[in-house]
Amino acid sequence: MENPSLDLSIVMPVYNEAGNLPVLHAELKAVLDRLGRSYEILAVDDGSTDGSLEVLRRLQREDPHLRIIRFRRNFGQTAAFAAGFDHARGRVVITIDADGQNDPADIPRLLKVMEEGDYDIVSGWRQDRKEPFITRRLPSIVANRIISRTTGVRLHDYGCSLKAYRAEVVKNVHLYGELHRFIPALAGWMGVRVAEVPVNDRPRAYGKSKYGISRTIRVLLDLFTVTYLLSFSSRPMQLFGLIGLGLGGLGGLVGLYLVGAKIAHGILEGAEGFRAYRIGTSPWLMLSVLLTVLGVQFIVMGLLGEVITRTYHEAQDKPIYAIREIIEPEEGE
Ligand code: UDP
Ligand code: MG
């Protein structure tokens, strides 16, 4: 990891936000210049097709703090964050949406809390969200509860993009899929101190949201992945093996019961009763076989998991994005 040479890096994923960029950039610049620290704004153009790149280039002519990372195609918000983190030179990295929903005016407060409390992550918390309740806020409340409980990193608003991280935190999480929402939880392994700060939530000015209802379901599935990754990924056998032993054991018990029942009938009712008690047609036999087979499968799955985990940890360097070019400002370093 290169040494951080700046105080702050703002990481901003951009996908078709041409209309929003000029206003947001002006707001950001006003706030950051007033802070009196060295900073850079890393705009990651995630394959925009609406002229966002041209807008960024135009803004860059007036602003030597603005660096543009241009993706070869649309890789998604997580990849954009990852590229920003990889190229960030600041000691503190702040993530923000490019659609103007996050308010740059909240940034000084995030930093103040981080520094005064010696926190590693300070998360924005949209207490007064402007989005629809059923499709956005409700699923998000449920997801935040589950992820807080299972990971032990308690936050009310994982989904809020406006967050401040110490650089070593974001440089040590491997992002893929759509896991950017879970960065604080994924960073939990290194032992992070986390704080929350209420932030402003504004409606989008131009363009529309890049996500539909399907995201709710995908986030839910990601929740399983993250929970698994954080609790069992280095020891899958302890999860699958346990389930396997449980099911297999139960199957064995049911089988024993069947044999025992047949013998008991023999003792109580003689040879006639022994013959009359048919194991082969008993529904319990089906259950016993099913449980035993399932048990074996779970144990095998655990073994496979162990092997895959080894591979996974050794093959983690695969990039999740491809950069077309990095457009540096003309002045500056
Ligand atoms: N975004 C991106 N790549 C994508 C989708 C979104 O870089 O494939 C950016 C988008 O430009 C915005 C941020 O991620 O800056 C959040 O997206 P959006 O506002 O659509 O999400 P919402 O606020 O509706 O959850
Ligand atoms: Mg948005």
Side-chain angles (χ1 to χ4, degrees), residues 2-317:
E2 47 189 315
N3 278 332
S5 51
L6 297 170
D7 294 325
L8 293 178
S9 294
I10 311 294
V11 171
M12 180 171 76
V14 176
Y15 182 47
N16 295 343
E17 306 286 3
N20 294 310
L21 287 169
V23 179
L24 182 68
H25 175 258
E27 287 179 337
L28 264 175
K29 197 165 159 41
V31 168
L32 294 169
D33 284 340
R34 231 178 302 131
L35 271 178
R37 312 197 185 182
S38 56
Y39 72 89
E40 63 181 355
I41 301 173
L42 272 162
V44 185
D45 174 34
D46 186 14
S48 299
T49 53
D50 71 337
S52 291
L53 183 72
E54 287 63 40
V55 176
L56 287 172
R57 278 186 200 270
R58 190 153 35 81
L59 294 170
Q60 191 182 48
R61 268 181 242 134
E62 312 283 299
D63 182 5
H65 300 287
L66 183 59
R67 301 168 71 200
I68 308 167
I69 297 178
R70 180 185 174 196
F71 276 181
R72 304 191 72 89
R73 62 166 173 85
N74 178 248
F75 283 95
Q77 201 181 343
T78 300
F81 275 133
F85 297 159
D86 289 344
H87 292 85
R89 297 179 298 194
R91 269 181 290 280
V92 172
V93 175
I94 295 176
T95 51
I96 190 166
D97 279 349
D99 59 358
Q101 288 193 263
N102 301 133
D103 187 348
D106 289 316
I107 291 178
R109 238 169 339 117
L110 294 184
L111 289 172
K112 190 163 183 283
V113 170
M114 171 172 273
E115 278 151 22
E116 286 179 357
D118 196 25
Y119 290 105
D120 300 300
I121 300 176
V122 180
S123 169
W125 175 9
R126 298 163 294 177
Q127 287 180 333
D128 181 24
R129 269 176 87 172
K130 303 290 187 296
E131 292 165 320
F133 183 75
I134 295 289
T135 52
R136 284 290 173 93
R137 272 150 57 205
L138 181 68
S140 139
I141 290 171
V142 174
N144 284 312
R145 290 252 169 93
I146 300 178
I147 190 86
S148 290
R149 178 160 304 182
T150 52
T151 66
V153 180
R154 293 179 180 275
L155 286 184
H156 289 90
D157 199 355
Y158 269 92
C160 179
S161 286
L162 187 60
K163 289 183 164 55
Y165 305 91
R166 290 197 189 275
E168 58 271 26
V169 172
V170 288
K171 297 214 183 245
N172 280 306
V173 288
H174 281 272
L175 291 180
Y176 62 92
E178 294 188 35
L179 292 189
H180 65 267
R181 235 170 252 100
F182 301 101
I183 296 171
L186 293 170
W189 69 269
M190 56 163 95
V192 282
R193 282 170 50 77
V194 179
E196 284 181 300
V197 168
V199 295
N200 196 4
D201 183 43
R202 310 184 292 187
R204 229 176 206 284
Y206 295 91
K208 48 183 198 296
S209 171
K210 310 298 179 296
Y211 302 101
I213 182 77
S214 73
R215 173 168 71 178
T216 309
I217 297 155
R218 283 179 291 143
V219 169
L220 202 77
L221 292 175
D222 277 348
L223 219 61
F224 285 107
T225 314
V226 170
T227 308
Y228 174 77
L229 276 179
L230 291 175
S231 351
F232 296 105
S233 72
S234 55
R235 46 198 169 99
M237 196 53 179
Q238 303 203 354
L239 176 66
F240 291 101
L242 199 69
I243 300 175
L245 283 182
L247 291 178
L250 211 63
L253 282 182
V254 175
L256 271 179
Y257 158 79
L258 282 173
V259 174
K262 194 169 174 75
I263 293 170
H265 275 273
I267 292 170
L268 295 177
E269 299 162 24
E272 207 44 42
F274 186 78
R275 230 172 291 127
Y277 187 83
R278 295 216 174 274
I279 288 180
T281 53
S282 164
W284 290 103
L285 183 68
M286 185 82 107
L287 185 68
S288 170
V289 171
L290 189 73
L291 288 176
T292 312
V293 172
L294 272 181
V296 171
Q297 285 195 334
F298 265 95
I299 290 175
V300 172
M301 244 196 294
L303 282 176
L304 281 180
E306 295 280 343
V307 176
I308 292 169
T309 298
R310 299 287 173 280
T311 321
Y312 171 79
H313 282 293
E314 273 156 41
Q316 259 187 353
D317 281 338

